[in-house]
Every structure is written in structure tokens, then in C-alpha cells.
Amino acid sequence: QVQLVESGGGLVQAGGSLRLACTASGSIANFNFMGWYRSPPGKERELVVVGVNRGATNYADSVKGQFIFSRDNFKNTVYLQMNSLKTEDTGVYYCHGATTWRQVGEPDGSWGQGTQVTVSS
């Protein structure tokens, strides 16, 4: 099974930027859907963005115009560029891959271990 490993998290001041990366141990070609979820402190995991391979990208309303998702199939890596960060963007960010739409957001999709993003005021 392909493993997903996130990197790029850290501590940043409000208004700053971070770029997360998620690199797979193998090919991501079979992941028709890839994206990012996050777990804010004390809250359930929520969708940040999901993208269809070579297709549309769907952002949560809370990050539209602020975050940019990209995918590099040659590098087996997806990215999340996060700009104008706010304290409410704090959380653990998880990379996610799914082969079918049914698997999106579900435990039987592929998940990374998560990377902490902390935005200070």
C-alpha cells in the first residue's frame, strides 16, 4: 500500500504563509482523488481541499482564495500552499488519497500521519 508522508508544517504568525507537501512512497497515479483534511483543536477532521486527477478542485468555503492545491504526478507529490494564514487555520493537516469517490474522506482511503500547523496571533 502506498504510504503518504506530509512535511512543511510549523509555527507561523497570522498573515504568513506555509507550503505543505505530501510525498507518496509509490505512484499516486491510481489516486483519482487527492487532497488535504485538517483537524482543528477540539474539533472533528474537516475537508480542506480535494482535487480530481487532471480535473476539478474543490475547496472548503473557509479557504477559497487563500489556499492553493497542486499535484505533481511525476514527483508523486501533492502540495498545499497556504497564504494569509489565520489563527483558525491551526490544526493537524492530513494528506489523503482515494481511488474512488466513495473512499474520499473515509478510513479505507489512504492517509498520512499528519503535520501540525500552528498560526499565532
Side-chain angles (χ1 to χ4, degrees):
Q1 186 174 358
V2 175
Q3 305 296 317
L4 302 176
V5 180
E6 302 95 339
S7 61
L11 174 64
V12 64
Q13 285 190 328
S17 298
L18 282 175
R19 188 173 85 150
L20 305 183
C22 169
T23 301
S25 60
S27 174
I28 62 173
N30 290 333
F31 288 136
N32 293 314
F33 307 93
M34 291 203 75
W36 294 86
Y37 282 71
R38 68 186 179 188
S39 292
K43 297 182 180 180
E44 294 185 355
R45 189 179 298 185
E46 62 185 22
L47 172 72
V48 175
V49 59
V50 62
V52 181
N53 190 18
R54 297 187 177 88
T57 302
N58 182 41
Y59 294 91
D61 288 343
S62 58
V63 304
K64 283 181 180 177
Q66 181 188 358
F67 290 3
I68 302 171
F69 173 77
S70 60
R71 174 173 179 157
D72 188 332
N73 286 332
F74 292 104
K75 294 183 178 179
N76 295 312
T77 301
V78 296
Y79 304 92
L80 184 66
Q81 177 67 43
M82 306 186 294
N83 301 317
S84 302
L85 283 161
K86 309 168 189 174
T87 55
E88 52 261 45
D89 295 317
T90 292
V92 179
Y93 283 68
Y94 298 91
C95 180
H96 175 55
T99 301
T100 66
W101 180 248
R102 185 201 61 75
Q103 287 180 320
V104 172
E106 296 298 325
D108 61 342
S110 293
W111 295 90
Q113 292 300 305
T115 185
Q116 176 70 45
V117 172
T118 302
V119 184
S120 64
S121 59

